[in-house]
Amino acid sequence: MSRPTLKLALAFVVGLGLAESALAAKPITPQTIEQAAKTITGQASLPVDGMKVLQSEGKLYFISGNGRYIFRGEVYDTWLQSHIDTIAQAQESSSRILLSKMGVKVDDLLSIRMGHGAKEVVFFTDPQCSYCHALANEANQYTSEYTFVFVPVPALGDESNRLIKRLACAKDERQQLDALLNGTIEQLETLNKCPEEKYAKSLVTANLLGVDGIPYLISDDGRVSRGRPKNFEAWLSGKGDQ
């Protein structure tokens, strides 16, 4: 564990309600904060934003903005469907997403498959993202073991949004993969009336998951890579860091 910062130690002192008693005896000094830092034995960050408080049946519930975490004397991860009682569990929670437990079906999204492997990797991408295309080309080496499910999202602006809508409108879905990876979306023959329901679900899902950059990968066992892994093969196997 990295050593807590003095700022974190100060928050720890105040958060435990020790500031009032400490001030009654003596002022909080850098030395008292340093001492508090030594008592912290573990730390982890949770992706919690927009906290809300709700009352139900006379009880208060603290809920994160996206509904994932509920605080009532304990923390429960509604995405992983598990309690968080330790630092290790908190770290696990912040680094994994199990779409199946969330009830998210990638086939309900605008999803384009590459490969036929038993292990499924969800790959949020953008048709204008050169890094995504390079990673997709690398992924093509592992299609016997993995199936890569590309979910296009407009991370790079309005032009990406226009291209993805056209991709969703493809008359022949078998041409979508080639068009996405090779920049030939403009050449696709499209339907007169485009079905955009799946694309709309993709946008909602990406927002829920906090996809704020691409590539954004979710492995078959729920590990998340925000950006291109340093060693893609190691990341796929779960035997190495990003």
Side-chain angles (χ1 to χ4, degrees), residues 2-204:
S2 61
R3 188 182 182 204
T5 64
L6 294 184
K7 182 177 180 181
L8 176 60
L10 176 59
F12 177 64
V13 172
V14 176
L16 286 180
L18 299 179
E20 184 177 350
S21 60
L23 286 171
K26 59 182 179 179
I28 294 176
T29 67
Q31 289 72 30
T32 60
I33 298 171
E34 180 72 26
Q35 184 61 36
K38 294 178 181 178
T39 68
I40 301 174
T41 58
Q43 58 181 306
S45 298
L46 294 176
V48 180
D49 189 22
M51 187 73 68
K52 298 183 183 301
V53 182
L54 301 179
Q55 185 173 10
S56 176
E57 298 180 348
K59 298 178 181 179
L60 290 180
Y61 297 84
F62 297 83
I63 304 176
S64 63
N66 60 9
R68 180 173 184 179
Y69 298 106
I70 300 174
F71 300 83
R72 188 172 64 89
E74 61 183 8
V75 180
Y76 185 78
D77 184 339
T78 61
W79 289 9
L80 296 185
Q81 298 179 15
S82 62
H83 291 275
I84 298 176
D85 300 313
T86 67
I87 291 296
Q89 289 171 337
Q91 292 169 335
E92 180 87 353
S93 171
S94 66
S95 62
R96 289 184 188 264
I97 293 174
L98 295 176
L99 296 177
S100 59
K101 284 193 174 183
M102 295 173 63
V104 175
K105 299 178 180 178
V106 291
D107 288 340
D108 290 340
L109 312 179
L110 176 58
S111 55
I112 302 169
R113 294 176 176 268
M114 180 179 77
H116 51 272
K119 299 177 181 179
E120 190 170 276
V121 177
V122 178
F123 188 143
F124 286 88
T125 185
D126 183 297
Q128 297 190 100
C129 173
S130 58
Y131 293 104
C132 301
H133 296 331
L135 185 58
N137 287 332
E138 186 176 351
N140 199 36
Q141 304 175 47
Y142 308 105
T143 52
S144 60
E145 186 176 357
Y146 299 90
T147 296
F148 297 91
V149 185
F150 297 101
V151 180
V153 292
L156 300 179
D158 292 340
E159 177 62 10
S160 295
N161 185 53
R162 186 187 69 81
L163 288 171
I164 298 172
K165 284 185 175 181
R166 183 175 179 85
L167 186 68
C169 196
K171 192 171 185 178
D172 186 348
E173 292 185 354
R174 294 173 298 181
Q175 297 178 1
Q176 287 178 320
L177 178 61
D178 181 73
L180 174 64
L181 301 185
N182 295 307
T184 58
I185 295 177
E186 296 285 15
Q187 301 174 23
L188 285 173
E189 186 177 357
T190 58
L191 298 168
N192 292 328
K193 185 177 181 180
C194 296
E196 296 185 1
E197 294 84 0
K198 288 189 173 183
Y199 181 37
K201 289 182 179 179
S202 294
L203 296 179
V204 171

Side-chain angles (χ1 to χ4, degrees), residues 213-234:
I214 39 98
Y216 183 103
L217 310 173
I218 304 175
S219 70
D220 63 302
D221 60 356
R223 287 173 292 109
V224 176
S225 177
R226 296 171 175 84
R228 183 172 182 172
K230 294 178 181 177
N231 186 323
F232 189 46
E233 183 177 12

